[in-house]
């Protein structure tokens, strides 16, 4: 079967959201409501903030508003890789915050442990499996880079095992794999939409009032209170936490720090026992390759393969549109790459195709801030690694709103923001040159050209 035919019957919607168990929507807000804490955004960032706020103070009156449905955007469309890393991987963390990397790693490990504990305590039925992740090399220079990463990580106590060609193919068998770096405990696999739905249920059970299909139109002061205007009403609050991520921030000065990047994924039909045996994969780890334009892939609970990544598409002018969620040329490319990676599965069909926007910032990991005299907090810029890090970000926002100095708020990562992206049309031009340069590096043994070296020196980057 050729790649195009394998896509012939695919549904153009996110697999995770195409679930008969999807909860009924909470009603939209009509009229006026007031509260102690208003959370804007019904993805992971907002849901963790609302739930943790109630854990800290069960008597705090909390309202959450979501412009569409709970978990409908990035939180319901991602690959389901829940990583301990708060810094988009060790290499990025060591490059940007070498003096506090060990603390960031310890806080990240503690954060992943807390997510696992919350899954058990709240009965979050999200297919949570702490099976780890293997970064695989498909080119010789990538294996050299993984060896260097293993050596550097060992100096900081990171538990990652370097695998040679035979060892990695004993875990998952692909003729393209030349080696791998296996992080056995630092990543969990989960069903991303079910995590969002479970967090919403837990928050509602704790007393959070949730309004769906209630977009926050603006943020302003109403006398001594803050508030947002919605299509059919208004919410006023003493404090506001913004978990809007890729969508334009209600704090305008935060907007230049993120740009939308569209990421795409395919989901196969369930694999038979024979097909699964042909590629091994008994450990159910997540995998990603080590190119600049990389693929990520994992097994679902019913043994489908999610296959995503590679193209990271910046929409011209930075405009987000629903029609960008489907991109046939990328789906065809991904299907061809899948057959190259797993020729044993050349007759497997895909059942779902989808895409969505990621909030990318120039340092690849979250940034934080306050506004309105410390009564508003925000976190954004997770750059595709927010499944786990958003819980940490929620704690940071609550610390900032409380005016508390904590180990989290003392971090340079929290106190300093990334460099902003330039205005249009410079952003489109600069990102286009960067994308071309990254693709060229992939084709030339990882060698970075003068543009990429200049970006490195300036602390700027582009990723998903």
């Amino acid at each position: 079967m050729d790649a195009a035919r394998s896509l012939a019957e695919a549904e153009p919607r996110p697999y995770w959201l195409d679930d008969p168990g999807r909860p009924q929507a909470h009603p939209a807000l009509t009229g006026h409501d007031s509260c102690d804490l208003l959370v804007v955004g019904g993805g992971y960032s907002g849901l963790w903030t609302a739930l943790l706020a109630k854990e800290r103070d069960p008597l705090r009156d909390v309202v959450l508003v979501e412009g569409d449905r709970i978990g409908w955007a990035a939180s319901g469309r991602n690959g389901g890789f829940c990583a301990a890393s708060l810094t988009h991987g060790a290499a990025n963390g060591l490059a940007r915050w070498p003096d506090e990397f060990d603390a960031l790693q310890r806080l990240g490990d503690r954060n992943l442990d807390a997510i696992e504990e919350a899954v058990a305590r709240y009965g979050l039925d999200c297919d949570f499996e702490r099976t780890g992740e293997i970064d695989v090399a498909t080119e010789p220079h990538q294996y050299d880079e993984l060896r260097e990463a293993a050596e550097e990580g060992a100096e900081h106590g990171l538990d990652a095992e370097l695998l040679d060609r035979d060892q990695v193919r004993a875990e998952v068998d692909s003729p393209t794999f030349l080696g791998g770096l296996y992080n056995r405990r630092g990543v969990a696999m989960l069903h991303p939409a079910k995590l969002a739905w479970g967090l919403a249920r837990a928050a509602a059970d704790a007393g959070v009032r949730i309004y769906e299909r209630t977009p926050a139109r603006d943020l302003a002061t109403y006398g001594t209170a803050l508030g947002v205007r919605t299509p059919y009403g208004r919410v006023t609050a003493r404090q506001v936490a913004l978990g809007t991520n890729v969508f334009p921030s209600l704090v305008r000065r935060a907007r230049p720090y993120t740009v939308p990047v569209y990421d795409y994924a395919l989901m196969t039909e369930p694999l038979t026992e024979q097909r699964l045996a042909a590629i091994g994969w008994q450990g159910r780890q997540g995998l990603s390759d080590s190119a600049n334009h990389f693929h990520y892939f994992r097994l679902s609970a019913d043994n489908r393969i999610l296959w995503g990544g590679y193209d990271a598409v910046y929409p011209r002018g930075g405009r987000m549109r629903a029609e960008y969620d489907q991109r046939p040329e990328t789906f065809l490319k991904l299907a061809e790459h899948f057959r190259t990676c797993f020729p044993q599965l050349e007759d497997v069909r895909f059942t779902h195709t989808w895409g969505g926007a990621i909030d990318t910032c120039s340092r690849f990991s979250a940034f934080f801030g306050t506004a309105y005299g410390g009564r508003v907090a925000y976190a954004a810029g997770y750059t595709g690694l927010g499944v786990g890090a958003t819980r940490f970000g929620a704690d940071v926002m609550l610390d900032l709103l409380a005016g508390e100095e904590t180990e989290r708020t003392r971090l340079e990562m929290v106190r300093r923001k990334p460099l902003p992206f330039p205005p249009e049309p410079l952003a489109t031009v600069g990102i286009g040159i960067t994308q071309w340069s990254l693709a060229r590096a992939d084709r030339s043994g990882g060698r970075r050209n003068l543009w990429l070296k200049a970006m490195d020196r300036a602390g700027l980057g582009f990723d998903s």
Side-chain angles (χ1 to χ4, degrees), residues 33-117:
D33 200 350
S34 62
C35 57
D36 297 324
L37 173 65
L38 170 62
V39 179
V40 180
Y44 298 142
S45 188
L47 291 166
W48 278 118
T49 302
L51 182 59
L52 293 178
K54 295 295 282 187
E55 287 185 2
R56 292 187 181 200
D57 181 2
L59 297 181
R60 181 183 290 184
D61 190 22
V62 180
V63 167
L64 182 148
V65 296
E66 162 55 44
D68 196 297
R69 296 286 304 278
I70 292 294
W72 75 278
S75 296
R77 298 167 187 251
N78 63 82
F81 288 63
C82 185
S85 177
L86 304 175
T87 61
H88 211 274
N92 190 54
L94 285 165
R96 297 183 185 278
W97 302 287
D99 294 338
E100 62 185 30
F101 176 77
D102 291 345
L104 285 165
Q105 192 65 29
R106 174 172 44 80
L107 288 167
D109 290 340
R110 186 189 305 168
N111 183 65
L112 182 55
D113 289 342
I115 292 172
E116 185 171 22
E117 188 273 334

Side-chain angles (χ1 to χ4, degrees), residues 96-436:
R96 297 183 185 278
W97 302 287
D99 294 338
E100 62 185 30
F101 176 77
D102 291 345
L104 285 165
Q105 192 65 29
R106 174 172 44 80
L107 288 167
D109 290 340
R110 186 189 305 168
N111 183 65
L112 182 55
D113 289 342
I115 292 172
E116 185 171 22
E117 188 273 334
V119 167
R121 176 155 51 98
Y122 290 109
L124 305 180
D125 180 19
C126 62
D127 303 333
F128 187 95
E129 299 178 287
R130 198 158 176 176
T131 50
E133 180 180 4
I134 304 175
D135 293 326
V136 297
T138 57
E139 297 288 344
H141 75 273
Q142 294 171 8
Y143 188 69
D144 293 338
E145 292 168 357
L146 291 180
R147 182 189 295 110
E148 293 173 5
E151 293 170 354
E152 189 172 36
E155 296 175 2
H156 293 270
L158 300 184
D159 184 18
E161 178 187 355
L162 186 68
L163 306 178
D164 63 23
R165 179 182 180 276
D166 291 339
Q167 288 172 318
V168 73
R169 291 189 63 174
E171 297 290 341
V172 184
D173 189 16
S174 167
T176 67
F177 295 172
L178 305 180
L181 189 60
Y182 193 175
N183 181 349
R184 293 181 182 273
R185 289 285 297 166
V187 183
M189 299 291 109
L190 53 76
H191 187 303
K194 286 184 177 180
L195 175 61
W197 300 334
L199 289 172
R201 176 186 54 77
D205 289 347
V208 176
R209 295 191 298 285
I210 297 175
Y211 299 104
E212 296 184 65
R213 299 193 177 105
T214 302
R217 293 281 173 80
D218 55 43
L219 173 64
T221 56
Y222 290 85
T224 60
L226 295 163
V228 298
R229 182 173 53 87
T230 70
Y232 304 122
R234 188 177 76 228
V235 185
T236 54
R238 290 193 305 107
Q239 296 179 318
V240 178
L242 301 177
T244 50
N245 294 299
V246 74
F247 298 98
S249 177
L250 296 179
V251 175
R252 286 185 172 272
R253 66 173 180 266
R255 293 182 183 181
Y257 294 105
T258 61
V259 295
V261 178
Y262 278 80
D263 181 51
Y264 297 92
L266 310 175
M267 185 67 93
T268 72
E269 61 189 331
L271 300 188
T272 63
E273 290 185 7
Q274 292 79 8
R275 285 170 167 168
L276 192 58
I279 58 172
W281 214 340
Q282 299 302 310
R284 302 187 57 80
Q285 316 91 329
L287 291 97
S288 63
D289 61 49
S290 303
N292 292 312
H293 286 189
F294 63 93
H295 306 87
Y296 55 88
F297 38 116
R298 48 80 54 101
L299 290 170
S300 65
D302 60 349
N303 289 331
R304 300 168 184 263
I305 296 178
L306 179 143
W307 179 264
Y310 195 77
D311 281 346
V313 179
Y314 176 67
R316 189 172 185 84
R319 293 181 292 271
M320 295 192 302
R321 295 176 178 170
E323 55 262 38
Y324 296 160
D325 292 350
Q326 294 291 317
R327 196 167 192 266
E329 60 268 41
T330 291
F331 299 143
L332 182 59
K333 189 185 303 180
L334 284 172
E336 291 169 345
H337 294 176
F338 177 87
R339 291 162 59 84
T340 299
C341 182
F342 294 124
Q344 312 96 308
L345 304 179
E346 63 179 357
D347 61 340
V348 167
R349 296 179 180 273
F350 296 98
T351 62
H352 292 75
T353 64
W354 73 94
I358 293 170
D359 61 326
T360 291
C361 77
S362 63
R363 72 182 189 195
F364 311 150
S365 52
F367 63 90
F368 310 89
T370 60
Y372 290 85
R375 293 184 293 163
V376 174
Y378 58 86
Y382 290 96
T383 316
L385 213 68
V387 179
T390 44
R391 185 193 175 280
F392 172 83
D395 263 331
V396 170
M397 285 196 285
L398 292 171
D399 288 349
L400 293 172
L401 290 173
E404 296 176 351
E405 183 177 319
T406 66
E407 184 179 16
R408 289 181 288 262
T409 61
R410 287 192 295 269
L411 292 167
E412 181 184 355
M413 176 187 175
V414 171
R415 292 185 292 106
R416 297 182 182 274
K417 291 184 176 59
L419 291 172
F421 289 96
E424 291 295 347
L426 295 178
T428 293
V429 173
I431 290 171
I433 296 172
T434 302
Q435 287 279 58
W436 177 84

